Amino acid sequence: MKAYLQLVKAQLLLFARNKNSFIWSLLLPVFMMIALGTLLGGDNEQFALEVSIIDRDNSVSSKELVQALKKAPGVTTVDQSEKNALASLKKNELQMVIVVPRGFGTAMASKTEKAVVTVYQDQGNLSTSKIGTAIVAGTIDEINKKIVNFQPRIDIKEKGISTHQLKYMDFLVPGILALLIMSNNLNGVAAQIASWRERSILRRMQGTPLSSGTFIAGQMTARILINVVQAFVVILIAHFIFGVNVYGSWGTLLFFVLLGTLTFMSIGFIVASLAKTPESASPIAGLISFPMMFIGGIFFPVRQLPDFLQIVVQAIPIGHLTTALRGVMNNGATFATLQVPLWILLTWFIVSFTVAALTFRWDVK
């Protein structure tokens, strides 16, 4: 335990003395956040609606209505089950869920009964809500006119889903936090440990009773403390400049920051063991981290990626880290609703830490 605490203290002192590294590792994500927020995160609303249409009736009339709604201008349909669609709506991943109930076709054939379509939408976002209602109403009005000589036969039943009114910056900031964690720990650790090995710093440590597991754990603890400070600074800047809030538990958010740090540090140690020189460590780490920047949901939703990449997204840790951070910050998600990212990140950490401890090299071979 004494050796572990001394390692943590020594690493923190190294960070304190190397102020340039600390500042630049923080300034880069802050600059990206401010630049993207200024260019893309304004108050302009997105008028292209992502809609999920649930057809419970599966009649000829309901299918005709579904096809008409899919062809409506400004509407992009997302195929999901009703349960998943409503969950996506609450997470602001959809703007509207339209449900065609059972008996719709029978009601359409009846001379006295009116068919009803239920529309779920976020009433907190008034502009999107009004646009969505207008699109659906216009489509249904066209069907009414064609079917029964301008006599309305289909009614719209609106149901509001109360969610937070989110902007692009609310989506971006958790992704920037995930990027900060990945970059500092995967890239930073790989380069630092490879450099220490070449300079024989690790060889001198090898002459002590220090185990590789204790050394790695000490490095992780020091970097966790640094990452927590940097994450807090990023959130404060995002809050005061762009009005970004944390709607969930700070404890849950801190837990996933810690888990993400542990996971990517373990991967960084593996890269440091694979690299023969410091010059090769950075390119190897970049080869891993750079693609994850674009398929990990940092800058845009992963559902917009091609289908063949979806399997990759579900396997890599960065996607689940951004999902967890975004869920806590934007939707107040808890551990109960974040079981998938929780267990996948834990699995990545346990496996990576084990491999890192077994493959760790004190000296150049």
Side-chain angles (χ1 to χ4, degrees):
M1 178 60 71
K2 183 177 180 181
Y4 163 76
L5 294 175
Q6 288 298 321
L7 280 171
V8 174
K9 179 180 178 181
Q11 184 62 48
L12 290 175
L13 288 174
L14 285 175
F15 274 119
R17 291 169 183 170
N18 190 5
K19 294 182 177 63
N20 289 335
S21 176
F22 177 83
I23 292 173
W24 280 107
S25 66
L26 178 61
L27 281 183
L28 178 60
V30 169
F31 173 77
M32 291 177 64
M33 178 178 64
I34 293 176
L36 290 172
T38 303
L39 294 174
L40 304 175
D43 295 328
N44 295 329
E45 297 289 343
Q46 175 59 263
F47 293 102
L49 301 178
E50 292 199 39
V51 178
S52 186
I53 304 174
I54 311 300
D55 187 358
R56 296 179 183 172
D57 194 48
N58 283 318
S59 62
V60 175
S61 298
S62 66
K63 290 178 180 178
E64 289 178 354
L65 174 61
V66 169
Q67 290 303 315
L69 289 170
K70 286 183 176 180
K71 295 177 182 178
V75 171
T76 300
T77 56
V78 179
D79 292 328
Q80 287 183 321
S81 67
E82 184 172 349
K83 180 180 178 181
N84 291 338
L86 291 174
S88 297
L89 180 62
K90 291 181 179 180
K91 296 176 184 177
N92 283 277
E93 294 175 355
L94 291 175
Q95 282 75 53
M96 184 177 292
V97 176
I98 302 171
V99 177
V100 184
R102 291 185 180 89
F104 178 86
T106 303
M108 288 293 293
S110 171
K111 294 182 179 181
T112 58
E113 188 178 355
K114 279 191 177 182
V116 177
V117 174
T118 303
V119 176
Y120 294 88
Q121 55 191 337
D122 179 10
Q123 292 183 334
N125 193 330
L126 294 178
S127 59
T128 302
S129 175
K130 291 178 181 178
I131 294 169
T133 301
I135 290 174
V136 175
T139 303
I140 288 179
D141 185 54
E142 289 297 320
I143 295 176
N144 282 326
K145 291 176 180 179
K146 291 179 181 178
I147 294 176
V148 286
N149 299 321
F150 300 86
Q151 297 298 318
R153 293 294 305 280
I154 307 174
D155 280 348
I156 301 173
K157 182 180 180 182
E158 296 184 49
K159 289 192 176 182
I161 298 292
S162 179
T163 64
H164 306 297
Q165 187 173 352
L166 303 178
K167 306 180 293 296
Y168 175 69
M169 284 306 299
D170 294 288
F171 175 88
L172 178 65
V173 171
I176 292 293
L177 286 181
L179 176 63
L180 174 70
I181 293 169
M182 179 179 69
S183 178
N184 282 359
N185 297 288
L186 198 164
N187 302 65
V189 168
Q192 182 186 64
I193 298 303
S195 175
W196 283 3
R197 184 183 294 118
E198 186 179 58
R199 292 158 55 193
S200 299
I201 295 175
L202 297 184
R203 182 192 299 174
R204 292 193 289 271
M205 290 184 180
Q206 188 182 18
T208 69
L210 188 67
S211 67
S212 60
T214 303
F215 174 75
I216 294 174
Q219 289 285 312
M220 285 181 169
T221 303
R223 287 184 174 272
I224 282 173
L225 296 175
I226 297 299
N227 281 345
V228 168
V229 172
Q230 291 182 324
F232 186 69
V233 171
V234 169
I235 293 174
L236 280 180
I237 293 173
H239 174 72
F240 287 108
I241 295 180
F242 297 106
V244 174
N245 294 305
V246 177
Y247 292 103
S249 165
W250 280 89
T252 306
L253 182 65
L254 176 61
F255 174 84
F256 279 104
V257 169
L258 302 183
L259 184 56
T261 300
L262 294 172
T263 300
F264 284 106
M265 271 201 71
S266 299
I267 299 173
F269 272 102
I270 295 174
V271 172
S273 298
L274 294 174
K276 295 183 179 180
T277 64
E279 290 76 18
S280 63
S282 294
I284 294 174
L287 188 63
I288 297 173
S289 61
F290 187 75
M292 286 200 284
M293 288 176 57
F294 299 98
I295 63 174
I298 293 175
F299 303 110
F300 49 84
V302 295
R303 67 177 183 275
Q304 296 180 1
L305 295 172
D307 292 339
F308 71 91
L309 285 177
Q310 293 297 328
I311 298 176
V312 179
V313 170
Q314 295 304 315
I316 60 177
I318 186 65
H320 295 283
L321 179 60
T322 55
T323 296
L325 295 177
R326 195 164 283 134
V328 175
M329 291 186 64
N330 293 350
N331 305 303
T334 62
F335 288 115
T337 57
L338 294 172
Q339 289 295 304
V340 172
L342 171 62
W343 286 108
I344 289 180
L345 286 171
L346 277 174
T347 302
W348 266 97
F349 164 59
I350 293 170
V351 173
S352 300
F353 183 86
T354 303
V355 173
L358 293 175
T359 60
F360 184 76
R361 295 185 290 114
W362 295 99
D363 203 352
V364 178
K365 291 184 180 179

